[in-house]
Amino acid sequence: MTRHARNCTAGAVYTYNEKKKDAAESGYGTNAQRLGKDSVKSFDCCSLTLQPCRNPVVTKDGYLFDKEAILQYIITKKNEYSRKLKEYERLKKQEENEQTQAANRQQATAVEAFVKSGKPVNGTVDMPGTSKDAAKREESSISNMANGHEKKLPSFWLPSECPNAGRAKIEKPDPTIYCPVSQKPLKAKDLIDVKFTLLKDGDRSKSLIAKEARYMCPVTHDVLSNAIPCAVLRPTGDVVTMECVEKLIKKDMIHPLTSQKLKEKDIIPLQRGGTGYAYTNENLEGKEKRPMLQV
């Protein structure tokens, strides 16, 4: 039986291509498309620069970074924290000064009210309709043109000039530096140097970056790729396959290259390549939601 073309309508089954074609023409439904390998970061690339690592380091959660890029990130975050801390201290001092001035004004107003509520000095009494009575009425006026406000009117289209505009609550900046991928606390001393084993293919005409298969497991000599789960051995930084870990290392918990005793925390699963849409490439899918017909 010969193969049918995509546009063949003689089949008894509503095929995937016909469904996609009808969805594109109708404008309804959800378009889902599997992202190809070109959209997925390679397992040996930095999670920040998305380029092959020159000096690879890994976090305790298994995220790979280039050492220069992640240290630059940490320094930038520290400088940003120092700048925010100075601004916080300045605003805090300004707020304390304003509170002190408000307390002084309140105390002065209370003293003035107490003096005015007492007996008149030298027997003088303010008669209604005098200049002092007019001054009192001006002080108690609710007009925005009185009491020196004729040159400063409220502006309802500028947030800072609105009558109800208030200062935002001052919060002390957080000194903790978080991983840009996992959003967990990150310290420079927790970074672990990674050592990839070069693949011995004998082809020296291509550069390392141009090769699709660059590294291998130092124990089993399997080629490493995004499709193969890997792990980093903390004491030496060697990258081995998870199959090697499950079948060889976890039996005796001994490093296969140095015969060093290992613990569970010394085996760090290496997170595989991700994209800007997701930080893992498992079930990676791009979806476009559109209106749907309801019967």
Side-chain angles (χ1 to χ4, degrees):
M1 183 176 179
T2 59
R3 294 184 68 182
H4 291 282
R6 283 188 175 182
N7 296 327
C8 179
T9 57
V13 180
Y14 190 40
T15 63
Y16 174 79
N17 291 312
E18 292 174 350
K19 180 180 177 182
K20 295 292 292 183
K21 183 178 179 180
D22 293 342
E25 291 178 354
S26 63
Y28 290 94
T30 301
N31 284 341
Q33 182 179 3
R34 176 71 184 180
L35 299 180
K37 66 176 183 179
D38 293 336
S39 302
V40 180
K41 179 185 73 67
S42 181
F43 74 99
D44 60 336
C45 290
C46 174
S47 299
L48 285 176
T49 63
L50 305 181
Q51 298 296 323
C53 297
R54 296 181 180 178
N55 298 316
V57 292
V58 69
T59 64
K60 59 184 179 180
D61 298 316
Y63 293 100
L64 191 71
F65 295 98
D66 188 83
K67 193 171 186 178
E68 182 179 357
I70 192 62
L71 290 181
Q72 183 65 36
Y73 172 82
I74 293 175
I75 292 173
T76 302
K77 288 298 181 181
K78 286 185 177 180
N79 294 339
E80 182 180 352
Y81 166 72
S82 300
R83 183 173 66 254
K84 288 183 179 180
L85 184 61
K86 290 181 181 179
E87 183 68 15
Y88 167 78
E89 293 175 352
R90 184 185 68 82
L91 294 177
K92 193 70 174 178
K93 187 175 181 181
Q94 182 178 354
E95 184 180 8
E96 292 176 356
N97 293 337
E98 290 180 356
Q99 291 178 356
T100 303
Q101 293 176 3
N104 294 337
R105 286 196 300 268
Q106 185 177 2
Q107 184 177 3
T109 303
V111 172
E112 186 178 356
F114 175 76
V115 171
K116 288 182 180 180
S117 63
K119 293 183 180 180
V121 182
N122 298 330
T124 59
V125 179
D126 294 339
M127 298 298 293
T130 60
S131 59
K132 291 185 178 180
D133 191 21
K136 289 181 180 179
R137 287 199 306 271
E138 185 178 356
E139 289 178 0
S140 61
S141 176
I142 61 173
S143 174
N144 58 359
M145 297 294 292
N147 302 330
H149 292 289
E150 62 275 0
K151 294 184 179 180
K152 186 179 180 181
L153 298 178
S155 176
F156 291 93
W157 52 88
L158 294 178
S160 60
E161 298 295 334
C162 287
N164 59 349
R167 182 171 297 171
K169 185 178 179 180
I170 304 174
E171 295 183 359
K172 191 173 182 179
D174 187 6
T176 308
I177 299 175
Y178 296 95
C179 176
V181 181
S182 64
Q183 299 302 320
K184 294 182 179 179
L186 176 66
K187 295 181 180 180
K189 64 180 182 179
D190 295 335
L191 298 175
I192 304 164
D193 293 332
V194 176
K195 183 173 63 176
F196 286 105
T197 303
L198 293 175
L199 181 63
K200 300 178 181 179
D201 55 354
D203 186 8
R204 298 184 179 180
S205 59
K206 291 184 179 180
S207 62
L208 185 63
I209 298 178
K211 296 179 181 179
E212 293 186 3
R214 295 189 281 264
Y215 304 109
M216 67 177 183
C217 175
V219 181
T220 62
H221 289 192
D222 291 337
V223 179
L224 304 182
S225 65
N226 276 3
I228 300 177
C230 303
V232 179
L233 303 181
R234 184 192 294 263
T236 59
D238 289 301
V239 180
V240 298
T241 60
M242 287 299 297
E243 184 179 5
C244 173
V245 172
E246 297 294 336
K247 293 183 178 180
L248 298 178
I249 298 178
K250 283 193 174 181
K251 288 184 177 180
D252 301 322
M253 294 303 290
I254 296 178
H255 198 296
L257 301 177
T258 62
S259 301
Q260 184 178 355
K261 195 68 177 177
L262 296 177
K263 300 179 181 179
E264 284 291 338
K265 65 178 182 180
D266 293 333
I267 302 174
I268 304 173
L270 187 64
Q271 301 294 334
R272 289 181 284 176
T275 66
Y277 304 101
Y279 51 82
T280 57
N281 61 347
E282 297 178 0
N283 300 326
L284 191 59
E285 221 174 29
K287 290 186 177 180
E288 179 186 359
K289 294 184 179 180
R290 300 187 296 181
M292 297 190 66
L293 288 175
Q294 295 182 358
V295 181

